[in-house]
Amino acid sequence: MKNAIEVKQLTKSFGNHLVLDNINISVKNGEIFGLLGENGAGKSTLIDCILGTKKVDNGTVSLLDMNPIRERKKLFENIGVQFQETKYPDKILVYELCKETSSLYKKSLDYKELLRNFGLYEKMKTPISELSGGQKQKLFIVLALIPNPKVMFLDELTTGLDPKARREVWKALQNLREQGITIFLVSHYMDEVQKLCDKIAILKKGNICFYGTVKEAINQSPCENFEDTYLWYSGEEETNESI
Amino acid sequence: MKAFNTFLTTELKLSFRGIDMFIFAICMPVIILVLIGIINGNKVAFEGANYTFLEQSFGAISTIAICAGGLMGLPLVLAGYREQKILKRLKVTPISPILLLAVQLIIYMIYSIISLVLIFIVAKLFWNLNIKGNILQFLGAYFLVMLSMFSIGLMVGGIAKNSKSAGSIASILYFPMLIFSGATLPYEVMPGLMQKIVDLLPLTQGIKTLKASVLGLSIDNVIFPIILMILLFVVCSTISIKFFKWE
């Protein structure tokens, strides 16, 4: 198995509205893959289709060589997911959610150890609703790590974090890469994408308008830095003309 | 099994932290029992009856907690979890939806049993409740009522679009059944026509079975309710598992 994630000719519509059009993505084992695009470009829908939380209209998805809908129980022993908005029951404490989460897997990492690594050990008995934004995001990484996953999906993981917390998260992700974990992330921060991602796809109105490395993206555009490059690819026609 | 136990303990703790089930499933049945006890005390149910009014009502009161849990708690928790996308988060784990449904089912079962024990103690202590029928028969009927009511709740919670619609459906089921099936308003005081109408509610049938077991009445009258409740359980639980929606 070479590719952890393999998406072929994926199409998805809501009613008459085509949300994803002929998407092809392959992510090698151990790679960090970045999915970029404006709000509403179809990023979260694409993640839903890959994970099987939404059915695709056409095309195929294979995760660790498995079908995410047919082989759900087996597959998700090895997948860690952080959705854009991770939800939890009211009044639940940090350790309770961690404990519930680890009980779902045949093999799981020690959540206490993970909480300690992310500086949350002291917060074990705090209601999640009382954590700060950064602490919550870190907790959601911990939750995604509990299954000791081979592949992680992180949807806007660092949104709302202060610069220091973002750096900490980056470091954590780089450590995970060294352990050989494949990471599929969605981000709006170009510095982050540039620093972390081996490969990116830029989604625009349901189409992939760029697929490759950050360096290739910059080289193939008239821009010099990556943020401008991203805007050039993803922007509206008016922006293109002005450049 | 590890997942089941962990979920059961955690979800039970969460449920206790919310106060509503404590009020509706634990306090309310006791209050209604005490009210009926104070008003009718040890009066016989009707002239020539060999049981008291309170004994006649006991079976009905015992179902209040079942209704609160099965028709309110259960559908609202499940629909709420779906709406808050907690179920979506669980879908990308190896959990089976049956485990989740079973955990919630058992939580409301626990509430019902606590309530049953509590009202039994109160009725025994203050009004010397005397179960004339077979106690095993009573418990059998009790669990049957529980299963049929809970399966309705599972079905509503499992397939309702959102917690708002689950709430409306739950209210439509809960309040009429609670008021008209004899759980709060005694069936015996209703006019004949009204009795005929409320006979159509499944809970009315369940309460008839319970009443027969408390008062030691003949079981011939209750074969129909038992079949009805089993049927209800089979149909509703099949639908709730088959059409379970994560999102």
Side-chain angles (χ1 to χ4, degrees):
Chain A
M1 181 183 67
K2 272 188 194 156
N3 291 331
I5 306 168
E6 189 78 63
V7 177
K8 280 183 188 153
Q9 294 168 346
L10 187 155
T11 307
K12 173 80 186 169
S13 332
F14 293 133
N16 290 327
H17 180 56
L18 188 62
V19 189
L20 294 170
D21 185 13
N22 192 24
I23 304 291
N24 292 286
I25 287 174
S26 51
V27 183
K28 287 198 188 80
N29 272 318
E31 258 183 359
I32 299 187
F33 183 86
L35 182 63
L36 318 184
E38 291 179 335
N39 294 324
K43 302 186 297 297
S44 294
T45 307
L46 180 53
I47 288 197
D48 278 337
C49 287
I50 296 176
L51 293 173
T53 46
K54 286 207 171 76
K55 279 190 183 143
V56 303
D57 296 341
N58 274 306
T60 56
V61 172
S62 128
L63 258 181
L64 297 171
D65 286 338
M66 281 180 258
N67 178 302
I69 293 179
R70 277 203 306 275
E71 292 164 277
R72 182 184 145 252
K73 282 187 196 175
K74 191 174 162 216
L75 172 65
F76 284 103
E77 290 284 347
N78 290 309
I79 309 279
V81 180
Q82 173 256 333
F83 283 119
Q84 201 171 345
E85 292 166 88
T86 302
K87 293 295 166 76
Y88 42 86
D90 285 343
K91 296 179 183 149
I92 197 166
L93 310 181
V94 168
Y95 87 93
E96 289 171 337
L97 188 59
C98 292
K99 211 168 151 187
E100 270 197 356
T101 306
S102 42
S103 76
L104 299 172
Y105 302 96
K106 287 195 190 106
K107 280 184 197 157
S108 60
L109 296 178
D110 177 11
Y111 66 85
K112 287 179 192 160
E113 196 57 43
L114 289 170
L115 288 174
R116 191 175 285 125
N117 293 344
F118 283 87
L120 289 170
Y121 191 75
E122 317 300 319
K123 299 281 175 193
M124 279 236 285
K125 294 197 172 154
T126 308
I128 296 178
S129 51
E130 287 173 20
L131 294 181
S132 73
Q135 287 167 335
K136 270 186 201 162
Q137 293 299 76
K138 283 190 209 161
L139 174 64
F140 300 149
I141 309 180
V142 168
L143 292 175
L145 278 172
I146 281 176
N148 195 11
K150 292 187 181 132
V151 183
M152 283 178 94
F153 287 82
L154 306 169
D155 194 351
E156 295 193 26
L157 179 65
T158 58
T159 301
L161 294 189
D162 61 48
K164 184 167 166 273
R166 279 177 65 209
R167 293 288 163 106
E168 283 169 20
V169 170
W170 293 359
K171 228 175 113 189
L173 295 186
Q174 279 164 333
N175 283 337
L176 293 174
R177 185 209 332 241
E178 278 161 31
Q179 293 167 34
I181 296 178
T182 310
I183 299 174
F184 187 107
L185 60 83
V186 170
S187 177
H188 287 302
Y189 297 107
M190 294 311 131
D191 51 349
E192 177 172 304
V193 170
Q194 198 163 12
K195 192 161 172 71
L196 295 173
C197 295
D198 301 305
K199 217 178 244 176
I200 59 164
I202 300 175
L203 208 54
K204 182 182 175 184
K205 291 180 182 162
N207 288 290
I208 291 181
C209 61
F210 174 81
Y211 186 93
T213 64
V214 169
K215 210 172 159 192
E216 286 164 359
I218 300 174
N219 289 343
Q220 288 168 27
S221 79
C223 311
E224 288 185 356
N225 70 56
F226 182 52
E227 187 149 320
D228 289 343
T229 306
Y230 164 73
L231 289 172
W232 184 78
Y233 279 107
S234 70
E236 298 293 319
E237 274 70 60
E238 301 93 287
T239 336
N240 287 348
E241 280 161 18
S242 69
I243 295 172
Chain B
M1 211 55 210
K2 179 184 70 164
F4 183 82
N5 290 337
T6 314
F7 264 75
L8 184 60
T9 23
T10 314
E11 297 296 313
L12 202 56
K13 274 197 257 177
L14 290 176
S15 178
F16 286 148
R17 270 174 220 162
I19 192 82
D20 27 345
M21 271 302 123
F22 176 73
I23 294 172
F24 287 109
I26 307 290
C27 299
M28 198 153 117
V30 175
I31 292 170
I32 290 171
L33 176 81
V34 168
L35 284 177
I36 289 180
I38 290 171
I39 295 167
N40 292 304
N42 285 325
K43 272 184 250 165
V44 287
F46 51 87
E47 263 192 35
N50 65 341
Y51 44 81
T52 66
F53 194 87
L54 187 101
E55 282 165 347
Q56 180 180 262
S57 304
F58 185 79
I61 298 170
S62 72
T63 63
I64 296 175
I66 296 181
C67 289
L71 301 178
M72 280 300 226
L74 203 49
L76 288 183
V77 149
L78 288 175
Y81 274 18
R82 180 177 321 106
E83 190 166 56
Q84 295 166 47
K85 309 228 167 171
I86 292 169
L87 295 185
K88 184 182 175 184
R89 180 166 56 75
L90 291 172
K91 194 184 179 184
V92 293
T93 71
I95 193 182
S96 142
I98 294 170
L99 181 136
L100 198 74
L101 295 179
V103 163
Q104 296 300 338
L105 205 71
I106 287 179
I107 288 177
Y108 292 103
M109 225 176 239
I110 292 173
Y111 277 114
S112 305
I113 293 168
I114 293 176
S115 165
L116 178 64
V117 170
L118 211 61
I119 59 167
F120 179 78
I121 293 172
V122 173
K124 188 90 199 159
L125 275 182
F126 296 97
W127 291 282
N128 193 31
L129 171 80
N130 187 8
I131 301 215
K132 295 179 176 63
N134 185 336
I135 193 127
L136 286 177
Q137 191 185 313
F138 175 85
L139 290 178
Y142 186 79
F143 277 99
L144 210 55
V145 173
M146 191 145 81
L147 284 182
S148 57
M149 289 298 117
F150 283 10
S151 60
I152 295 179
L154 281 184
M155 183 180 74
V156 173
I159 63 180
K161 277 204 177 69
N162 50 43
S163 58
K164 217 173 154 190
S165 76
S168 321
I169 300 171
S171 306
I172 291 170
L173 293 172
Y174 176 68
F175 289 106
M177 281 216 235
L178 191 70
I179 295 168
F180 295 116
S181 63
T184 39
L185 195 65
Y187 180 80
E188 287 70 19
V189 305
M190 294 175 195
L193 177 70
M194 193 171 165
Q195 286 188 345
K196 287 212 174 68
I197 297 170
V198 302
D199 268 345
L200 299 172
L201 299 173
L203 186 63
T204 316
Q205 301 300 332
I207 289 173
K208 280 190 175 171
T209 325
L210 287 170
K211 205 181 287 167
S213 335
V214 177
L215 305 176
L217 304 177
S218 151
I219 197 85
D220 294 351
N221 310 331
V222 294
I223 285 296
F224 170 69
I226 290 176
I227 293 172
L228 184 80
M229 284 188 289
I230 292 175
L231 206 67
L232 199 65
F233 169 69
V234 172
V235 170
C236 293
S237 47
T238 312
I239 292 177
S240 64
I241 291 170
K242 195 128 186 140
F243 296 97
F244 183 81
K245 288 192 295 195
W246 294 93
E247 232 188 318

